[in-house]
Amino acid sequence: MAAGRDRAAYLLRQLQRAACRCPSHSHTYSQVTERPTLGNTDYAFEMAISNIRYGEGVTKEIGMDLQNLGARRVCLMTDKNLSQLPPVNAVLNSLAKHGINFQMYDNVRVEPTDRSFLDAIAFAKKGEFDAYVAVGGGSVIDTCKAANLYASSPASDFLDFVNAPIGKGQPVSAPLKPLIAVPTTAGTGSETTGVAIFDFKELKVKTGIASRAIKPTLGIIDPLHTLSMPERIVANSGFDVLCHALESYTALPYNMRSPCPSNPINRPAYQGSNPISDVWALHALRIVAKYLKRAIRNPEDREARANMHLASAFAGIGFGNAGVHLCHGMSYPISGLVKTYKPKDYNVDHSLVPHGLSVVLTSPAVFTFTAQIYPERHLEAAEILGADIRTARIKDAGFILADTLRKFLFDLNVDDGLAAIGYSKADIPALVKGTLPQERVTKLSPRPQTEEDLSSLFEASMKLY
């Protein structure tokens, strides 16, 4: 009897030694020593994106989606201009066809503020909705994310979820309602991300909310909706895609970002460049290089506009997990401190610097500055955008990318720097002050920057050509 038990124990030990060690097949457990993190930097990254559906005319399915979700009371958010245009009509037709009960909120502000967010939040709380639909650009989708968040967490103070140091930056724990985003511009990628940006009027600076919890449940990318976009909206939206791709690809690597979170719920949405985001960023950059000029110059070029719509989502997947850095960090005060500038093709009753324009105007100066770190990535980006780098020196990567960007922007009639949109050297201290709170993104710059560095970057961006 004892011999039998010994024989069985021997066979079990042999099986354990011979067992497949890969995690998919091994049924044995071994305690792995916890990996130390050098200097408290992170050791992992994660990918979080919305489900995406793409196709011409696919908006007609949205009523069925809401039926499938069991939605009984839907909030439809858009803005005053879009409420009269084909994208919203397509959604309304689908909702009516499938008997969806909804209320429309069309008071979204282009380039939203804390006040406009709070107005939408009040509407959402009063409506007690069980699903949301956002039809519009980043302003509409971001406003809808915020409305969903605070209506789902009604006891929370507005600053609880706003990014630190302006807000408390608390993690989101309350479950949100389903949100379907229907983007009508090809720029922000907001349909893929857990980020909502707004102007904080008290400080005259842009900030936002960043949490995977607020990303849309589904992004419906219907290229037919881009056909009604005017030229400058196509251009400025495209510049946002361009900078999303460039910044996420050149961002600080995820395993050099600190601190390492003690709990994965605290790992930021913007984690630093990583192998998966890199793929999406480069693919988006190639599409921008091939199709953006065509999409701007010819509104009938369906191929170009459809591809830019996809590029927006691709870059969104990239930067939504890797993050952006200085172009975006510096853009927030450029938008927030706007004086009298009113861009062509924007039907608004207030001064504004479109987000994509505010981002791209500093790009030549920024990438000249950051290219000292990872110059090979900057040179690769320049080549994708059309630069001949066959005889280029790696130390010149920043200058080559900057010159390539200047030519790209000049060809597309972009304003000649910050001075052309109303700023002067006297504004630089205020612009720097507005950039300093943007640590969520500025710390992802591959090259650390001082206040003096930021001053120099703003000064270099006053004139582009």
Side-chain angles (χ1 to χ4, degrees):
M1 191 77 172
R5 283 197 300 269
D6 291 344
R7 177 64 177 167
Y10 170 78
L11 290 173
L12 285 170
R13 285 195 297 273
Q14 291 299 106
L15 282 170
Q16 189 174 42
R17 292 191 186 105
C20 175
R21 298 297 181 184
C22 77
S24 297
H25 300 102
S26 175
H27 297 287
T28 61
Y29 172 78
S30 60
Q31 180 69 46
V32 179
T33 304
E34 188 168 317
R35 181 185 185 276
T37 54
L38 183 62
N40 198 32
T41 56
D42 210 339
Y43 63 94
F45 69 92
E46 58 186 89
M47 299 297 292
I49 64 167
S50 308
N51 292 325
I52 296 296
R53 184 182 301 150
Y54 174 87
E56 283 197 8
V58 74
T59 305
K60 67 186 177 184
E61 296 182 356
I62 196 166
M64 289 182 280
D65 289 317
L66 292 164
Q67 275 187 340
N68 295 339
L69 289 167
R72 297 181 180 278
R73 190 173 176 82
V74 175
C75 175
L76 170 60
M77 285 202 173
T78 189
D79 64 41
K80 284 281 193 287
N81 294 325
L82 274 165
S83 65
Q84 308 300 320
L85 294 177
V88 171
N89 288 335
V91 171
L92 292 175
N93 289 338
S94 183
L95 298 185
K97 180 179 179 180
H98 297 283
I100 301 299
N101 177 38
F102 71 94
Q103 283 185 256
M104 183 188 288
Y105 178 88
D106 64 359
N107 204 33
V108 170
R109 188 181 195 271
V110 178
E111 302 297 336
T113 67
D114 53 327
R115 297 168 195 163
S116 71
F117 265 20
L118 287 168
D119 188 70
I121 291 165
F123 180 87
K125 286 181 176 179
K126 184 178 179 181
E128 298 183 339
F129 303 107
D130 59 4
Y132 293 80
V133 174
V135 186
S139 296
V140 173
I141 299 173
D142 286 4
T143 299
C144 199
K145 290 174 185 175
N148 187 11
L149 170 61
Y150 288 97
S152 300
S153 186
S156 297
D157 182 75
F158 181 68
L159 289 178
D160 284 353
F161 303 121
V162 173
N163 298 326
I166 293 171
K168 299 176 184 177
Q170 293 179 359
V172 177
S173 56
L176 274 63
K177 306 300 184 186
L179 190 166
I180 300 177
V182 185
T184 59
T185 62
T188 66
S190 187
E191 69 276 8
T192 68
T193 72
V195 178
I197 301 297
F198 65 94
D199 280 318
F200 194 73
K201 281 299 185 181
E202 183 180 339
L203 298 179
K204 294 185 177 180
V205 70
K206 262 186 170 20
T207 184
I209 302 161
S211 170
R212 296 178 186 87
I214 69 171
K215 71 182 188 301
T217 311
L218 172 66
I220 291 183
I221 302 175
D222 186 338
L224 294 179
H225 298 333
T226 66
L227 300 180
S228 58
M229 275 199 300
E231 175 189 312
R232 294 327 295 175
I233 294 180
V234 176
N236 292 325
S237 299
F239 298 147
D240 202 17
V241 180
L242 170 66
C243 288
H244 285 159
L246 287 172
E247 289 174 73
S248 63
Y249 189 59
T250 58
L252 187 77
Y254 75 94
N255 57 0
M256 294 182 66
R257 191 200 77 254
S258 61
C260 179
S262 58
N263 186 311
I265 196 174
N266 296 319
R267 181 167 284 117
Y270 287 0
Q271 301 162 91
S273 61
N274 60 77
I276 301 178
S277 287
D278 287 351
V279 172
W280 293 102
L282 288 178
H283 190 45
L285 194 60
R286 292 187 178 98
I287 296 174
V288 169
K290 183 175 181 178
Y291 288 109
L292 179 55
K293 291 181 180 180
R294 284 173 49 181
I296 294 169
R297 291 168 176 164
N298 182 6
E300 303 301 318
D301 191 336
R302 294 168 75 111
E303 179 188 6
R305 292 211 166 182
N307 273 279
M308 283 305 302
H309 213 186
L310 275 176
S312 175
F314 294 161
I317 295 168
F319 92 85
N321 293 281
V324 286
H325 54 82
L326 288 179
C327 293
H328 273 75
M330 295 169 67
S331 80
Y332 297 146
I334 293 171
S335 294
L337 296 171
V338 61
K339 299 174 183 179
T340 60
Y341 184 78
K342 287 189 178 181
K344 179 186 174 187
D345 293 337
Y346 286 76
N347 183 18
V348 293
D349 61 1
H350 54 276
S351 300
L352 72 88
V353 180
H355 175 63
L357 179 62
S358 71
V359 167
V360 84
L361 288 177
T362 62
S363 62
V366 163
F367 293 113
T368 301
F369 175 79
T370 58
Q372 289 188 19
I373 314 295
Y374 314 121
E376 67 287 344
R377 289 195 168 216
H378 291 69
L379 201 59
E380 183 182 6
E383 183 179 31
I384 291 171
L385 292 172
D388 183 350
I389 65 167
R390 287 175 295 181
T391 59
R393 297 180 300 180
I394 196 72
K395 68 177 183 178
D396 295 329
F399 300 109
I400 294 169
L401 178 53
D403 286 344
T404 304
L405 286 167
R406 286 191 192 94
K407 182 178 186 303
F408 194 82
L409 300 180
F410 182 81
D411 288 347
L412 293 172
N413 302 312
V414 175
D415 299 86
D416 188 9
L418 298 179
I421 62 170
Y423 289 105
S424 69
K425 289 184 180 179
D427 297 307
I428 289 177
L431 291 167
V432 171
K433 182 180 178 182
T435 304
L436 294 177
Q438 309 300 331
E439 294 179 354
R440 179 179 64 94
V441 293
T442 57
K443 283 189 172 181
L444 288 175
S445 168
R447 181 180 173 186
Q449 66 287 159
T450 63
E451 290 186 38
E452 290 73 24
D453 290 329
L454 291 172
S455 295
S456 298
L457 291 172
F458 278 117
E459 184 171 358
S461 302
M462 285 292 163
K463 186 172 177 60
L464 290 182
Y465 314 124

